[in-house]
Amino acid sequence: MMKENRIWLITGVSGGLGRALALEAAKNGDIVYGTLRKESQIPQFEQLVPGKTKGIRLDVTEHERIETVIAELLAAEGQVDVLVNNAGYGLFGAIEEVSMEEARQQMEVNFFGALAVTQAVLPHMRKQKSGHIIQISSMAGFRSNPGMGLYNASKFALEGFSEALALETEPLGLHVTIVEPGPFRTSWAGSSSAKAEKGIDDYQNTAGARIATVTGYSGQQPGDPDKAAKAILKAVNAEHPPLRLPLGRAALEAITSKLDAVKTNVSEWEQVSLNTNFD
């Protein structure tokens, strides 16, 4: 629900959706603390809306710093009203191509980073008996595609714990919203992505083709980050915010097509499933 002078914490505000959302919330009159991995990035962020946008140096994989950052924010403001776990990147590669090191780094940033920040903020939101946690997932957090399996896994994991979190915290006055964007015009598929070092020719027509498509339209995606930021702010301001917020036609179509496919699959094998109980 709309509340004056809210305090936001948004991870990963160097560009893209995180930057757009920080600007929109600050223009709305709220105070936004945004995390950036480099000290040199802070001055530019703080000039977005002077006095309203405040930069913090934090890499979400540095778990030992997260508690310190939250403590400093609370000492300055006394509360955290909205947490947005936005920091993350895309890893491209077929499952067999991705090394364990590459897979672990993907999970460290996209899953464990979000989990650590969420756990650090929760005690304070519980004490306030209010707060809204926004998890920036993806349509890839609901439906998989070849060439993105580990990215899918990281976002599926994010959505899994967030669903449980929503059930655990709703009676305490907290809200959780999982945002599932489709392709938006950010650097996600370009400079903010990584590709598996190993390549296997047998996957060029599946994983390789999908990766080429996604990276090929980087900078030309149909989604507008500024409009996405407005949509997220609308959810934060809602009295009854959604658990899931798909953004864009591609996301809506991907999610609804998977729901239809799952329903068909389950119906076709319903009798086999039911026949597994003791007689």
Side-chain angles (χ1 to χ4, degrees), residues 116-251:
V117 177
T118 299
Q119 288 181 330
V121 167
L122 277 170
H124 311 288
M125 287 188 170
R126 282 194 294 106
K127 186 177 180 181
Q128 294 167 187
K129 298 191 183 306
S130 67
H132 199 151
I133 297 171
I134 306 291
Q135 309 285 35
I136 304 299
S137 180
S138 166
M139 70 182 201
F142 197 87
R143 190 192 74 176
S144 294
N145 275 306
M148 299 170 61
L150 265 298
Y151 179 71
N152 291 135
S154 70
K155 293 301 188 180
F156 271 55
L158 176 70
E159 296 209 9
F161 95 73
S162 298
E163 282 189 19
L165 179 65
L167 296 170
E168 293 165 356
T169 59
E170 189 274 335
L172 307 177
L174 278 60
H175 298 294
V176 177
T177 296
I178 302 165
V179 179
E180 297 165 325
F184 275 74
R185 202 163 296 181
T186 70
S187 61
W188 178 85
S191 60
S192 295
S193 66
K195 192 172 185 298
E197 287 188 18
K198 185 178 181 179
I200 299 173
D201 288 343
D202 283 346
Y203 296 117
Q204 285 310 299
N205 292 331
T206 52
R210 181 62 183 173
I211 294 166
T213 297
V214 172
T215 56
Y217 62 49
S218 181
Q220 301 298 318
Q221 299 97 321
D224 182 341
D226 294 334
K227 291 182 178 179
K230 287 180 171 62
I232 294 169
L233 193 64
K234 186 172 183 178
V236 172
N237 290 339
E239 185 174 358
H240 301 290
L243 173 62
R244 278 191 163 80
L245 181 63
L247 295 178
R249 183 179 299 277

